[in-house]
Amino acid sequence: MSSIALDFTAGLHVENIAQIFSAVCLGDENASGSSPVAITLASVSRRWRLITLGYQQLWSRIVLGWPTDIVKAYLERSGSSLISVHGRHRMQGGIRPLENMQFVFGSAVMPRVRLIHLDLEMGWHMRWVYHLLCSNPAPSLEHFTFICDQADEIPMTMFGNKCPSHLRGLTLFNADLSPTSPLFSPTITSLRITLTIVDSFMEALRALPHLLDLSIVACNIPDDDLDDKQSIALVSLPHLRYLHVSQYARPVAKFLGLLQFPTTTEVDLKVQALPNDNPMTAICLDALHVADALRKHFSPADAAGASFAFLTVK
């Protein structure tokens, strides 16, 4: 295998080989039970080892389920590069990921963390996970994804209660938040929330003026929040390019009625009747509610420029 590898790379520049290696390593975060790709590549030949050790970005993807010595090796070989941290863990997964979190999310490494993607089972040492995530600021964090199999409330003191100044993407699944959470950084351009409760949701959106991408799926947007007199002032999202909402129709209509966004925004709506409503009557009425809300955004003159991915009423 070594001779084949050397023949294959003989005519390529080191930079090209490193780029190929980097593309091969992209699937590492989905393979927590196997040998990390960079480790395998480094063991093929002396030349490949020199190339991999000289290219810090190859070691910048950390999977919390890996053996601790491998995680430490990745942290050392990634040098000063920003790193991404991936973890998908269940109750039967043991405590190794938790041990790795203690130094990956520690004060020495946390400033280098660019991306965090956690998919955890409720009860999996969650209080300790929160403790680690709340202990230190994450000044370089750009993307944060938190997925939980059951609804849980994210603490107010995430990342040392300091707003990540570079945060651009926030994805939450079954993770409830306060609108004053430091995760609602004004720098966010992509917000995707599913099965999530955000108290005073319109207030939270008002703090995100640079949103380009907003997705809301099966979230609890309380009527009293949408009807609150303090929320009557329209929320302006002047840069919004894509809006996806999958909810019951009447809250969607109220929600749309409180938004201002460009007529060029691509709107993707999926709405359905409330469970206790008469289905046939509710479908017609709910469609009218949503249509009235959309009419405010798209006049006949603007309709030609508006883009609707699809509008589904069930």
Side-chain angles (χ1 to χ4, degrees):
M1 180 176 178
S2 177
S3 61
I4 295 176
L6 289 172
D7 290 340
F8 171 71
T9 62
L12 297 176
H13 292 294
V14 170
E15 293 79 6
N16 299 131
I17 299 172
Q19 289 174 3
I20 293 172
F21 287 175
S22 182
V24 172
C25 290
L26 287 176
D28 253 349
E29 58 266 27
N30 299 317
S32 59
S34 60
S35 177
V37 176
I39 295 288
T40 302
L41 292 173
S43 66
V44 170
S45 68
R46 183 175 180 273
R47 185 179 185 223
W48 281 28
R49 180 172 178 80
L50 291 174
I51 293 173
T52 55
L53 292 180
Y55 195 64
Q56 294 181 350
Q57 286 80 359
L58 284 179
W59 309 92
S60 63
R61 295 179 183 85
I62 309 295
V63 177
L64 294 172
W66 286 342
T68 300
D69 58 337
I70 289 180
V71 171
K72 289 183 176 179
Y74 264 65
L75 289 174
E76 179 182 351
R77 294 173 183 179
S78 60
S80 59
S81 297
L82 298 181
I83 62 174
S84 60
V85 180
H86 305 263
R88 184 179 184 277
H89 306 295
R90 297 297 180 258
M91 290 292 287
Q92 64 271 25
I95 63 171
R96 177 196 293 166
L98 192 64
E99 295 173 346
N100 289 335
M101 284 184 191
Q102 293 185 59
F103 54 87
V104 171
F105 295 147
S107 59
V109 179
M110 196 61 148
R112 294 174 48 205
V113 176
R114 179 187 64 84
L115 178 150
I116 297 176
H117 184 112
L118 297 178
D119 181 354
L120 305 176
E121 186 177 52
M122 186 61 183
W124 189 87
H125 308 285
M126 291 298 289
R127 301 279 73 83
W128 184 238
V129 172
Y130 287 147
H131 169 73
L132 293 172
L133 288 174
C134 292
S135 297
N136 298 290
S140 302
L141 188 66
E142 298 177 8
H143 299 276
F144 182 66
T145 296
F146 193 91
I147 300 170
C148 193
D149 68 328
Q150 299 179 37
D152 197 25
E153 184 174 356
I154 293 182
M156 280 289 297
T157 54
M158 291 288 282
F159 307 119
N161 203 23
K162 294 184 179 180
C163 185
S165 58
H166 294 86
L167 189 64
R168 294 187 289 115
L170 177 61
T171 300
L172 303 174
F173 188 103
N174 261 338
D176 302 339
L177 272 183
S178 162
T180 56
S181 167
L183 287 177
F184 281 118
S185 168
T187 58
I188 287 178
T189 59
S190 176
L191 176 63
R192 297 172 175 266
I193 56 176
T194 302
L195 293 172
T196 294
I197 300 174
V198 180
D199 292 334
S200 304
F201 184 65
M202 304 310 292
E203 176 188 342
L205 280 184
R206 191 171 284 111
L208 307 177
H210 302 293
L211 270 182
L212 302 176
D213 176 0
L214 175 60
S215 176
I216 304 168
V217 177
C219 294
N220 186 353
I221 305 178
D223 278 351
D224 56 356
D225 182 16
L226 298 177
D227 292 336
D228 190 338
K229 292 182 179 180
Q230 293 180 351
S231 299
I232 290 178
L234 296 180
V235 175
S236 178
L237 301 176
H239 307 290
L240 196 65
R241 297 176 183 173
Y242 176 71
L243 173 64
H244 170 63
V245 184
S246 180
Q247 297 276 132
Y248 293 124
R250 267 172 280 178
V252 168
K254 292 180 180 180
F255 174 66
L256 291 174
L258 291 172
L259 285 184
Q260 280 185 327
F261 51 83
T263 57
T264 54
T265 301
E266 180 179 342
V267 181
D268 177 1
L269 301 179
K270 293 182 181 179
V271 298
Q272 63 185 44
L274 290 166
N276 296 328
D277 288 345
N278 180 291
M280 295 303 294
T281 303
I283 287 175
C284 297
L285 290 176
D286 291 341
L288 290 174
H289 284 308
V290 174
D292 284 341
L294 287 174
R295 189 176 296 115
K296 177 179 72 69
H297 295 283
F298 302 104
S299 65
D302 293 327
S307 175
F308 289 85
F310 47 87
L311 170 60
T312 305
V313 180
K314 296 182 179 180

